[in-house]
């Protein structure tokens, strides 16, 4: 029997691998624990066995995600939405393993983002099979100056696509509590920085909206600040890394803890108000309580 926490509960960033991981079984765990809504981010292309040479060749990565989102919607009391894009770590795979120049890797990754943008919802109502956000970023590890520059050009292209398609952009970047440089790039592109989301964030962040890893200490900082924030696990759904990051039950369990601590306003902030502000979705209207 599923636990009812009396509120929408959104995990803002996790991965599902229906072929190699737990897939829908992980969604069932999430729902049984009181989870209602998911933002499912496509896994890095190389982890799905896809080594694209053109933008079009990213399509199987996105279609795999759309398929598992459709199946998740049959399980959840709320719904799932896809987030599609190109993992910034791909640039190192291309340059170090496949002999691409940084500029060639940049162009391929931008082409992949162009394809991802074709799946973005057109208009206010998000239909099944439509994405609510794009994913891009830059490496969280040391790189050469040329790779760093190329990565930032990919990131800025993603922000421009977000502006052109009126959608949010999720970022995978280095750990930081100050990404005002990216917020300025978003503004330059015509995208509200509030609609730029830093995945794997701490509780405090200048610039984009933080998607806070659901550890109690990080969440307490976010609650205390009172700014818009989201919650995530970054569940990787990889049987070879069973203890990596957080499991799919984590966000519902942290919501229960927040309720016990009297953080009801913060729960509403993270699971109702911020998703509406960032993605234009209503977790309440799509919640079958």
């Amino acid at each position: 029997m599923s636990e009812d926490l009396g509120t929408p509960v959104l995990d803002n960033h996790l991965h599902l691998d229906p072929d190699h991981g737990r897939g829908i079984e992980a969604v069932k765990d999430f729902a049984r624990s009181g989870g209602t809504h998911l933002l499912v981010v496509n896994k890095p292309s190389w982890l799905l066995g896809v080594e694209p040479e053109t933008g079009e060749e990213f399509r199987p990565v996105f279609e795999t995600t759309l398929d598992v989102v459709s199946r998740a919607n049959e399980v959840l009391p709320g719904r799932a939405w896809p987030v599609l894009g190109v993992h910034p770590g791909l640039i190192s795979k291309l340059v170090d393993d496949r002999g691409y120049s940084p500029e060639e890797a940049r162009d391929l990754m931008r082409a992949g983002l162009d394809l991802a943008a074709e799946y973005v919802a057109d208009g206010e109502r998000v239909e099944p099979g439509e994405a609510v956000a794009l994913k891009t970023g830059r490496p969280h590890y040391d790189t050469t100056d040329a790779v760093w520059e190329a990565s930032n050009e990919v990131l800025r292209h993603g922000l421009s696509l977000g502006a052109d398609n009126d959608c949010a952009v999720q970022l995978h970047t280095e750990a930081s509590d100050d990404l005002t440089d990216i917020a300025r790039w978003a503004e330059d592109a015509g995208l509200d920085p509030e609609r730029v989301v830093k995945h794997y964030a701490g509780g405090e962040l200048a610039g984009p909206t933080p998607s806070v890893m659901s550890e109690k200490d990080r969440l307490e900082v976010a609650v205390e600040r009172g700014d818009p924030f989201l919650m995530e696990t970054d569940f990787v759904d990889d049987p070879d890394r069973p203890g990596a990051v957080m499991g799919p039950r984590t966000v519902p369990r942290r919501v229960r803890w927040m309720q016990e601590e009297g953080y009801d306003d913060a729960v509403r902030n993270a699971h109702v108000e911020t998703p509406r502000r960032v993605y234009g979705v209503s977790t309440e209207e799509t919640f079958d309580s």
Side-chain angles (χ1 to χ4, degrees):
M1 183 175 179
S2 297
E3 183 168 355
D4 182 1
L5 297 173
T7 176
V9 175
L10 169 72
D11 188 333
N12 179 68
H13 186 110
L14 90 168
H15 308 276
L16 296 172
D17 189 336
D19 298 321
H20 310 102
R22 298 192 63 222
I24 297 302
E25 290 305 310
V27 178
K28 291 178 180 178
D29 281 351
F30 173 74
R32 280 192 291 263
S33 300
T36 63
H37 293 75
L38 294 171
L39 262 68
V40 182
V41 184
N42 62 260
K43 291 188 75 169
S45 50
W46 64 91
L47 293 180
L48 295 177
V50 176
E51 295 190 355
E53 296 181 359
T54 65
E56 174 62 28
E57 291 177 4
F58 283 91
R59 194 175 296 278
V61 177
F62 304 149
E63 293 289 344
T64 295
T65 304
L66 295 175
D67 178 66
V68 76
V69 164
S70 176
R71 293 165 59 194
N73 281 327
E74 298 174 1
V75 173
L76 293 169
R79 65 169 292 184
W81 294 283
V83 176
L84 304 179
V86 179
H87 193 286
L90 178 61
I91 195 166
S92 296
K93 299 286 184 181
L94 294 172
V95 172
D96 297 341
D97 300 342
R98 294 174 58 187
Y100 280 61
S101 70
E103 294 76 20
E104 290 169 336
R106 173 202 64 199
D107 292 346
L108 175 58
M109 294 169 70
R110 290 196 297 199
L113 285 170
D114 289 340
L115 179 65
E118 295 180 10
Y119 291 90
V120 170
D122 182 13
E124 294 184 1
R125 188 167 186 83
V126 184
E127 301 295 337
E130 293 181 327
V132 296
L134 299 172
K135 174 188 176 178
T136 185
R138 61 193 183 194
H140 63 278
Y141 46 84
D142 290 338
T143 67
T144 66
D145 289 346
V147 165
W148 183 252
E149 181 178 348
S151 297
N152 278 318
E153 290 176 3
V154 173
L155 193 164
R156 296 186 75 153
H157 184 65
L159 297 174
S160 294
L161 288 172
D164 292 344
N165 292 275
D166 190 25
C167 74
V169 176
Q170 283 199 15
L171 298 177
H172 179 116
T173 74
E174 73 279 9
S176 177
D177 59 10
D178 185 350
L179 292 177
T180 49
D181 59 336
I182 296 178
R184 286 193 298 269
W185 295 347
E187 289 180 331
D188 290 345
L191 181 64
D192 185 342
E194 185 175 57
R195 304 192 72 192
V196 180
V197 177
K198 166 68 169 93
H199 142 65
Y200 213 111
E204 180 175 358
L205 178 66
T209 296
S211 181
V212 180
M213 285 295 288
S214 294
E215 300 165 350
K216 291 181 180 179
D217 56 347
R218 297 191 189 209
L219 291 171
E220 285 174 335
V221 173
V223 169
E224 180 67 25
R225 287 176 57 79
D227 294 334
F229 75 100
L230 297 152
M231 292 170 59
E232 70 166 79
T233 57
D234 190 27
F235 175 63
V236 297
D237 203 8
D238 185 343
D240 294 330
R241 302 170 62 200
V245 204
M246 294 179 166
R249 297 186 180 95
T250 308
V251 168
R253 288 174 172 174
R254 292 294 183 263
V255 168
R256 187 189 322 118
W257 165 76
M258 291 168 72
Q259 291 172 329
E260 291 168 352
E261 295 293 318
Y263 298 150
D264 292 333
D265 289 346
V267 170
R268 182 168 181 83
N269 180 0
H271 299 277
V272 177
E273 295 171 359
T274 303
R276 181 184 294 119
R277 293 160 69 109
V278 172
Y279 302 110
V281 300
S282 174
T283 55
E284 290 182 313
E285 292 177 5
T286 53
F287 179 29
D288 182 11
S289 58

